[in-house]
Amino acid sequence: MDYSALADLLFPNVTDTPDDLEERFPPRDLPEGAVVSRMAPSPTGFVHLGNLVQGTISERMCTQSGGVHFLRIEDTDAKREVPGAVEMLLQGLGEYGIGFDEGVTADGEKGNYGPYRQRQRASIYHVYAKKLVLEGMAYPCFCTEDELAKIHAEQEAEKANFGYFGKWAIWRDRPIEDIKAAIDAGTPWVLRFRSEGNIENKIPVTDLVKGKLEVTENDIDHVLLKSDGIPTYHFAHAVDDHLMRTTHVVRGDEWLPSLPFHLQLFRALGFRPPKYLHIGTLMKMDGTSKRKLSKRKDPELSLSYYREAGFPRASVKEYLMGILNSNFEDWRRAEPKADLDNFKFSYKKLNPAGSLFDIAKLNDVSKNVISMMTAEDVLGGYLDWAREFEPEFASTLENDRETALAVFSIGRGGKKPRKDFGTWAEVKDLFGFFWDGYFKVTDEYPDTFDRADIKEAITKFLETYDPADDQNAWFDKIKAVADSLGYASDMKEYRAEPERFRGSIADVSMFLRVAVTGRMNSPDMYQVMAILGEDRVRARLHSMADSL
Ligand code: GLU
């Protein structure tokens, strides 16, 4: 076969050579050890937790090593492309602090190794396609869908492996005359790789996450270019990651079965393969067994879920780092206030089997994260969420920032800050009562208490209540109310002989609490009353007493 004639026949317009491209995209001038990696998502409009995990890993590795993190858009499948997907992706990832030094941007792209959208790189792939044809390592295949389906059916019947190989690779050794005739007839063709691999051979590979592996050589003549001249993922991966000088490929382990082919392609193209990190899928517990998070069943797979549910982004990041690196929690305990970015992420700590994702755990982490925020940050974070999801309450708080800040300051800043909520969605329920429009008595007094006792306790408290009292004086007055009603003002005494009392100081406090806040649980009552102010406190207590 005259490969040179075949190469000219298939790619008459390709004049650039691989050497030209080597010159156009020279090795990067970076210090030893600098990681160059990328995110390479398809623009499907769905940004998911897997993207965030992959992006966190690649971004951390690049940033921490002084390397380059870039964004390449894998839009080779035009049918799956959704308008606006790139913007959604940049926005979604950007919110979680995943940025790019180069690659696709909201309004174009930046960097010297582009274009960074694969459909715009057709002419680049063709240079290498032509080279492979020229070297006898690729050939055109004119099989129709029907013919391929027939091959598949035959393989099924013969219990053979599936794919285009061996006796089924019917265009692999066709004479150039047949190829010419098919082209002249306008028959569409794909370009296939001519595999010399043998499935009897095992090749050792080291994956930075999975460790030492032994994979089976590829013997399939996979498609490199589709009939529209656009490459498959495999071919684009080899060409792009070589020319963009990627040192580390971080990707989902669903690509592991394709690795032998990828290594084969890098060799055929004369490229040095990058280092690979095949990361395990996120798992969740379903009953007592683990399973992969699924797009269909698990809304929490989508990044938009966290925004809607009101998890602060800092909480999601904090939780993810914890499941990616097992030593993170120890670090955090030692550095409770440090910026997450100061943590030294290590790919060596990644669980090869994939991490377990648990919303309840995320919520705990989030309570912690929020408890460490300043009142200003809480208000800012809440408003950012609430403007979209609870606009009315958001404007109530915006118009009364001073109260809002006082409310969010309760129990904050000390050694043991309150950990009362993990999502912004809980704020209105917990603290709405500070504003009259959102105050509602939701909890009822337990039946075990005499309504007359409750009414009397409230009335007596009202008689002595003085907003100028300090916390001790205020509490002494509640104790006095308790004593006068036969409720123990000393919990120790009460616990020793409960039958001597009608109840305890805790019950009397609860009587007041329900009247003032509408619920059995609330932040510190003294501070609550101080923020509500005398008029409101009196009004609520009166209204409750009147209703009993
Ligand atoms: N477009 C591929 C994907 O979304 C990229 C895999 C890779 O990072 O190479 O799975």
Side-chain angles (χ1 to χ4, degrees), residues 38 40-42 72 74 233 237 241 249-251 254-255:
R38 79 296 188 278
S42 301
R72 179 170 74 226
E74 304 213 332
Y233 166 76
H237 156 51
D241 283 314
V249 166
V250 181
R251 64 184 179 187
E254 69 274 16
W255 291 111

Side-chain angles (χ1 to χ4, degrees), residues 471-531:
Q471 184 143 11
N472 287 333
W474 171 86
F475 195 51
D476 284 344
K477 285 180 175 172
I478 299 179
K479 280 186 180 164
V481 171
D483 286 334
S484 75
L485 287 170
Y487 283 65
S489 60
D490 182 321
M491 286 309 285
K492 249 194 245 130
E493 274 180 36
Y494 177 68
R495 273 192 220 103
E497 291 173 285
E499 61 289 348
R500 270 183 52 211
F501 303 97
R502 294 178 69 76
S504 76
I505 178 87
D507 301 323
V508 174
S509 298
M510 182 268 286
F511 299 163
L512 299 175
R513 186 184 303 277
V514 172
V516 169
T517 69
R519 29 177 61 224
M520 306 274 265
N521 291 306
S522 81
D524 180 79
M525 275 286 288
Y526 177 74
Q527 295 186 58
V528 166
M529 287 191 184
I531 294 172

Side-chain angles (χ1 to χ4, degrees), residues 284-336:
K284 78 181 266 183
M285 291 309 288
D286 194 350
T288 50
S289 54
K290 272 191 207 172
R291 66 166 173 78
K292 289 182 182 172
L293 278 173
S294 116
K295 187 170 169 180
R296 201 167 44 81
K297 291 193 225 159
D298 306 311
E300 72 265 35
L301 186 60
S302 165
L303 271 201
S304 59
Y305 169 86
Y306 301 91
R307 169 144 186 84
E308 283 155 31
F311 282 106
R313 290 184 285 273
S315 303
V316 178
K317 283 177 65 176
E318 183 91 1
Y319 173 60
L320 275 187
M321 195 51 85
I323 59 176
L324 293 180
N325 267 198
S326 50
N327 54 328
F328 175 71
E329 285 178 25
D330 288 341
W331 176 84
R332 178 50 89 202
R333 232 167 279 131
E335 304 273 352

